[in-house]
Amino acid sequence: MKSNHFKDSIKNFTSNIREHIPGAIYVDVAFDSRKLSFIEYSLPNVEAWQNYLGSLGISNDHKLIIYDRSEFGFKQSSRLRYLIEIYGYNTVQILNGGYNDWIRNNYRLSSEIPQYSKEDYKVFYEPELLRIYEEIIENIESKNEILIDARNSSEYDDGHIPGALNMPYNKFFDSKTRLLKRKEELMEMVNKIGFDLDKPIIAYCQSGIRASTLKLVLDLLGAQKVSVYNGSWFEYSQKSFYKFDKIFNSLMKIFDNVYSLFF
C-alpha cells in the first residue's frame, strides 16, 4: 500500500511509468479528513473510512505493508498505520525507508495498477488511542500521562504544551542510511530524555502526523499505552492563546470599571 495525502498523488501514482512498487495500491491518508478551525487533519468518518478501505479490496484479515514518498518513508505511512489502528485490527508493517530507499536500491518499479475485489471492511473504534484538547488541559494539572512532543527541537523551544518532553521526529533516523534507527539507538533517546515506557504516554506534534511516527517508535520499544493528541500544537496553541486573550480582556474590563468609579 502506498500512502499519501497530497491531492495530485493519485494522479502521479497512475500516470508515471516508473511510479510505484509492484502490486501496490494507493491509499489517500487524508480521505474524508477536513481542516477545521482548530484541527489541521480531522479523523475520517467511521462509516466513510470503512467503505473506502473496503472499496480498495482491503479486509480485516489482510496483513498490510505500507510505504510513502516522504524523506524517511514514515510520515504518511505512520499516519495510515495510526488510522488503521484506531479504526481496526489489521496487522500493519511499514517499509523502512519507503519509496526513496526502494529506488536507492534499484528495485523494480511498475506502472501496472492492480485491481482487487471489494471487501467488507469493518471498523472497530479504539477511543483510548485518541486524546482531545480537554483531556490535555486536565492532564497538565494531573500529570497522569506523559506528554511527548515529536516536533523538532527549534519548534519545541519556540513553545510547547506545559510539562511536555521533546523527542524530535528528525532524530529517529540514521543520517547516512536514511532508515529508522535500530531499537537500541532509539532506546538510548528514551533513556536520555528520561521517561518510563510503562506509564501512559500522549504523543503530539504540530498537526498529528509526526506524532503518529512517535507512537510507532514507542510501540516498537514496548511502550504499554500510547495515544495521540490529534489536534496537537495547531489546536492547543490557538485555543490556549484564545483563552488567555479572553481572560486578559475580562480583566481589562474589570480594571476599566474600577477606574471609572474613581476617576
Side-chain angles (χ1 to χ4, degrees), residues 110-122:
S110 173
S111 60
E112 182 180 350
I113 308 301
Q115 299 294 327
Y116 298 104
S117 299
K118 183 178 178 180
E119 293 280 355
D120 184 23
Y121 189 88
K122 295 296 184 184

Side-chain angles (χ1 to χ4, degrees), residues 31-32 44-54 87 121 123:
F31 175 81
D32 198 49
N45 171 270
V46 170
E47 185 176 355
W49 182 249
Q50 70 178 10
N51 290 340
Y52 175 58
L53 292 189
Y87 284 147
Y121 189 88
V123 162

Side-chain angles (χ1 to χ4, degrees), residues 66-83:
I66 308 171
Y67 75 94
D68 69 34
R69 290 170 171 270
S70 62
E71 183 180 3
F72 302 109
F74 277 87
K75 276 191 176 178
Q76 290 77 40
S77 293
S78 296
R79 177 65 171 185
L80 180 55
R81 173 189 180 269
Y82 174 66
L83 290 176

Side-chain angles (χ1 to χ4, degrees), residues 2 4 7-21 24-27 56 67 69 110-115:
K2 178 191 172 185
N4 248 320
K7 291 181 178 179
D8 62 345
S9 291
I10 184 63
K11 187 185 297 182
N12 291 339
F13 185 81
T14 58
S15 64
N16 193 313
I17 196 169
R18 295 178 59 80
E19 193 58 25
H20 58 269
I21 295 174
I25 60 171
Y26 175 84
V27 179
L56 298 175
Y67 75 94
R69 290 170 171 270
S110 173
S111 60
E112 182 180 350
I113 308 301
Q115 299 294 327

